Amino acid sequence: MKTVAMVLFPDFLLLDMAGPLEVFSIANRYLPDADHYRISTIGTERTALRASNGVLVHADHPLEQSLDSYDLLLVPGGPGAYNQQHQPLLAWLESAPQRARRYGSICTGAFILGHAGLLDGHRVTTHWHYTERLGKSFPKALVETDHIYLQDRRLITSGGVTAGIDLALSIVAQDHGKKVALEVAKVLLVVMKRQGSQAQFSPLVAAVAPQDSPITRVQNHVLEHLEEAFSIERMASLAAMSARHFARVFAREVQMTPMEFLQSARIDRARSLLESSDLPLKTVAFRSGFGSVRHMRFLFGEKLGLTPTQYRQQFS
């Protein structure tokens, strides 16, 4: 019997807890008794803990009464994970590598692992909205943005909210084979492996900085005229700079090259049109500045892991 524990703290996200634990609970229906998952929750307080949606949950055990070892130890996300620090929990989690055969986080629970020193030197992920913040908070971690979940040795982290279900399904598949995991996925009405990555949910281009500068003026001009042809030279002329100097300044201020910005902005425009209209792909490609459906399809596959048609089917 494998032991699975979820650590709870004030203001945790309820779905981060319930989704993965439901996977292991349903898996027990398809497993012999000796192979069942033994599921428990560990609380930072002896009293009931209030989740971020207001629901009260009473953990099975407080930290000081937890077991000495677990097969899997998970930390959920939520406002309490990235806006607060729970010192007793952090001290307890420092021993997670010795306490658990596998350990990890759902969504922004990665921030708690980071404060406990467990992300350093590992490839990790979190909800797409928080990857930049995670990377800045824990520079020794190798934060990757394009994974639904990511396992690096014994550490496993996931993207936001429902990605915890994907993480749990992957563990069931490791423990008991793909067939059992597939049966669980069917019960939950989810797919075993999603198409694409977290990039399909997040904008590729961040909002243009509010301050007025030659670079922001170029960005705004490009966004307003995406259907037109742009080159480094044309963008540089709009900023009244040489092409070489412009490319260097743009990359420093925007954290991507001018052509990466242009390409990403066109993908975002196409995504918006695919989500909000029934326009033919040829029209979407033209209005987004791709020039051809073939080029648009290639870049969608490269950046999002989906074709424009697949994207429309999933998000429109």
Side-chain angles (χ1 to χ4, degrees):
M1 182 173 287
K2 295 185 183 299
T3 52
V4 175
M6 183 78 72
V7 180
L8 305 182
F9 47 86
D11 224 14
F12 72 94
L13 194 70
L14 187 64
L15 189 55
D16 281 2
M17 177 200 78
L21 294 189
E22 201 63 52
V23 169
F24 298 117
S25 175
I26 293 172
N28 286 343
R29 303 180 193 177
Y30 300 93
L31 297 171
D33 291 347
D35 291 337
H36 275 194
Y37 289 101
R38 179 184 172 192
I39 301 167
S40 65
T41 52
I42 303 170
T44 57
E45 300 176 14
R46 290 179 174 272
T47 55
L49 294 154
R50 192 173 297 279
S52 59
N53 64 359
V55 172
L56 285 170
V57 177
H58 204 297
D60 296 313
H61 310 286
L63 288 176
E64 59 270 22
Q65 293 179 7
S66 60
L67 298 179
D68 292 331
S69 63
Y70 295 93
D71 289 290
L72 176 65
L73 183 63
L74 292 173
V75 179
Y82 52 83
N83 287 334
Q84 304 172 37
Q85 288 195 34
H86 311 278
Q87 293 303 328
L89 173 58
L90 299 182
W92 185 85
L93 280 172
E94 287 177 359
S95 64
Q98 293 77 44
R99 187 185 297 274
R101 188 165 65 88
R102 288 169 297 190
Y103 55 95
S105 60
I106 315 299
C107 193
T108 51
F111 284 87
I112 291 180
L113 296 187
H115 285 299
L118 300 178
L119 300 186
D120 292 356
H122 286 83
R123 296 168 58 233
V124 300
T125 193
T126 188
H127 189 289
W128 60 264
H129 189 71
Y130 294 92
T131 51
E132 183 178 356
R133 179 174 170 181
L134 187 70
K136 289 180 178 178
S137 299
F138 309 105
K140 293 182 180 179
L142 308 173
V143 180
E144 300 188 12
T145 61
D146 58 347
H147 296 276
I148 300 295
Y149 64 87
L150 178 60
Q151 185 163 1
D152 184 358
R153 290 160 281 175
R154 294 189 294 134
L155 174 66
I156 183 166
T157 53
S158 79
V161 197
T162 59
I165 294 175
D166 300 81
L167 179 152
L169 285 170
S170 75
I171 291 171
V172 172
Q174 289 177 29
D175 291 345
H176 303 290
K178 185 176 179 180
K179 183 178 180 181
V180 174
L182 184 57
E183 293 297 333
V184 177
K186 288 178 180 178
V187 172
L188 292 172
L189 296 180
V190 298
V191 295
M192 265 294 294
K193 186 173 178 59
R194 302 197 209 191
Q195 293 178 318
S197 63
Q198 280 204 82
Q200 63 190 278
F201 301 98
S202 62
L204 298 181
V205 172
V208 176
Q211 67 265 25
D212 182 56
S213 72
I215 299 302
T216 59
R217 287 196 292 272
V218 171
Q219 287 180 281
N220 285 318
H221 183 88
V222 168
L223 292 173
E224 292 168 6
H225 301 85
L226 277 175
E227 70 281 1
E228 299 178 8
F230 284 95
S231 63
I232 293 286
E233 288 72 21
R234 182 184 174 190
M235 287 187 274
S237 68
L238 293 170
M241 297 179 183
S242 69
R244 187 173 182 178
H245 181 57
F246 169 77
R248 186 165 55 248
V249 174
F250 191 102
R252 184 177 67 240
E253 293 189 11
V254 186
Q255 305 303 307
M256 62 175 69
T257 68
M259 299 312 291
E260 286 172 340
F261 172 81
L262 175 65
Q263 196 175 81
S264 296
R266 284 177 168 160
I267 292 174
D268 283 349
R269 167 73 63 81
R271 291 162 71 180
S272 177
L273 292 173
L274 290 168
E275 291 170 10
S276 62
S277 74
D278 295 321
L279 291 171
L281 293 184
K282 187 174 182 179
T283 304
V284 171
F286 173 77
R287 292 190 181 180
S288 305
F290 286 112
S292 70
V293 173
R294 182 179 180 182
H295 187 212
M296 180 172 70
R297 186 180 295 114
F298 171 79
L299 290 177
F300 261 64
E302 184 177 64
K303 295 289 187 179
L304 306 181
L306 297 169
T307 67
T309 299
Q310 288 171 331
Y311 185 91
R312 170 172 271 169
Q313 289 171 344
Q314 288 196 191
F315 294 96
S316 63

